[in-house]
């Protein structure tokens, strides 16, 4: 590797760390912010999204650990840990969506929840670009965890808005099932060795 390549790689690794630390901080604070928003809106979906932040925190810790070292074994372990996070996310979404539909729970809208979740897509895009440039499957995969988190946020927010504006109380649960499919697909790819 030339000096320029090495300098570029080090810059990308620093960017990867910065994105992960930003995600970690955002989600730690987000647990509290989303709990307040969920209570105010009486929203099971927002409360669940706050709990989902725990999975994102775990995935960020795994990537920070993986970026701190090297080796194929470390990468495989990192991917498997993120795969477990995706599996937990799928179970969480499946249970939450089914519960909301079965009980007919009707949440209110949440301006705080809407404002808070806007950052997820930018973090996901940054991680995906940095992971691709580094050819780091762990960072790329964790970027997809953040994307799922952003999609979940959008689904929760869309469901809250559709409920608030059109009385479609079941919309956020229906969107949750789409995300269950995506999360399970990621789990299967990770454990089948496609990454």
């Amino acid at each position: 590797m030339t000096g320029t390549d090495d300098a570029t790689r080090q810059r990308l690794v620093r960017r990867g760390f910065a994105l992960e630390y930003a995600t970690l901080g955002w989600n730690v604070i987000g647990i509290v912010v989303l709990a307040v928003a969920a209570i105010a809106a009486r929203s099971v979906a927002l409360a669940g999204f706050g709990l989902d932040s725990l999975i994102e925190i775990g995935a960020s810790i795994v990537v920070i650990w993986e970026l701190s070292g090297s080796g194929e074994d470390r990468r495989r372990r990192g991917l498997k840990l993120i795969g477990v996070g995706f599996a937990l996310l799928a179970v969480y979404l499946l249970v939450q969506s089914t519960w909301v539909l079965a009980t007919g729970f009707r949440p209110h809208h949440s301006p705080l929840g809407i404002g808070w979740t806007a950052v997820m897509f930018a973090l996901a895009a940054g991680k995906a670009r940095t992971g691709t440039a580094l050819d780091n499957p762990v960072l790329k995969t964790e970027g997809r965890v953040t994307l799922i988190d952003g999609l979940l946020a959008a689904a929760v927010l869309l469901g809250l808005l559709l409920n608030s504006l059109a009385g479609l109380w079941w919309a956020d649960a229906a969107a949750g099932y789409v995300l269950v499919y995506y999360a399970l697909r990621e789990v299967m790819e990770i454990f089948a060795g496609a990454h």
Side-chain angles (χ1 to χ4, degrees):
M1 183 176 275
T2 68
T4 303
D5 290 341
D6 192 41
T8 300
R9 178 169 175 69
Q10 290 306 314
R11 183 180 51 79
L12 290 168
V13 168
R14 282 193 302 275
R15 184 188 315 158
F17 275 117
L19 288 165
E20 289 306 325
Y21 284 124
T23 302
L24 194 57
W26 188 260
N27 282 299
V28 167
I29 295 166
I31 290 171
V32 176
V33 170
L34 290 168
V36 169
I39 291 167
R42 293 183 20 215
S43 170
V44 173
L46 276 174
F49 184 63
L51 293 174
D52 169 66
S53 293
L54 290 173
I55 294 170
E56 181 74 20
I57 288 168
S60 289
I61 291 169
V62 167
V63 174
I64 290 168
W65 168 76
E66 196 278 331
L67 285 174
S68 299
S70 61
E72 191 58 35
D73 186 49
R74 191 175 188 118
R75 277 199 176 163
R76 270 195 304 278
R77 267 188 280 156
L79 283 171
K80 289 197 188 293
L81 287 170
I82 291 172
V84 169
F86 267 118
L88 291 171
L89 178 58
V91 169
Y92 148 72
L93 288 169
L94 184 62
V95 169
Q96 175 187 311
S97 297
T98 302
W99 187 82
V100 166
L101 285 175
T103 63
F105 186 81
R106 290 169 171 80
H108 302 290
H109 70 284
S110 172
L112 179 59
I114 290 168
W116 183 259
T117 56
V119 171
M120 288 302 185
F121 290 111
L123 287 170
K127 290 178 197 181
R129 271 194 314 273
T130 304
T132 299
L134 280 171
D135 194 28
N136 185 309
V138 177
L139 184 57
K140 287 190 286 192
T141 300
E142 201 277 331
R144 284 193 295 274
V145 171
T146 303
L147 178 61
I148 289 271
D149 216 28
L151 291 172
L152 175 58
V156 168
L157 296 175
L158 179 62
L160 292 171
L161 289 171
L162 287 174
N163 176 46
S164 178
L165 300 174
L168 301 176
W169 59 269
W170 48 265
D172 64 332
Y177 287 124
V178 172
L179 296 174
V180 167
Y181 167 77
Y182 184 81
L184 289 175
R185 191 181 76 187
E186 286 297 319
V187 169
M188 291 173 63
E189 284 182 16
I190 287 169
F191 287 104
H195 286 290

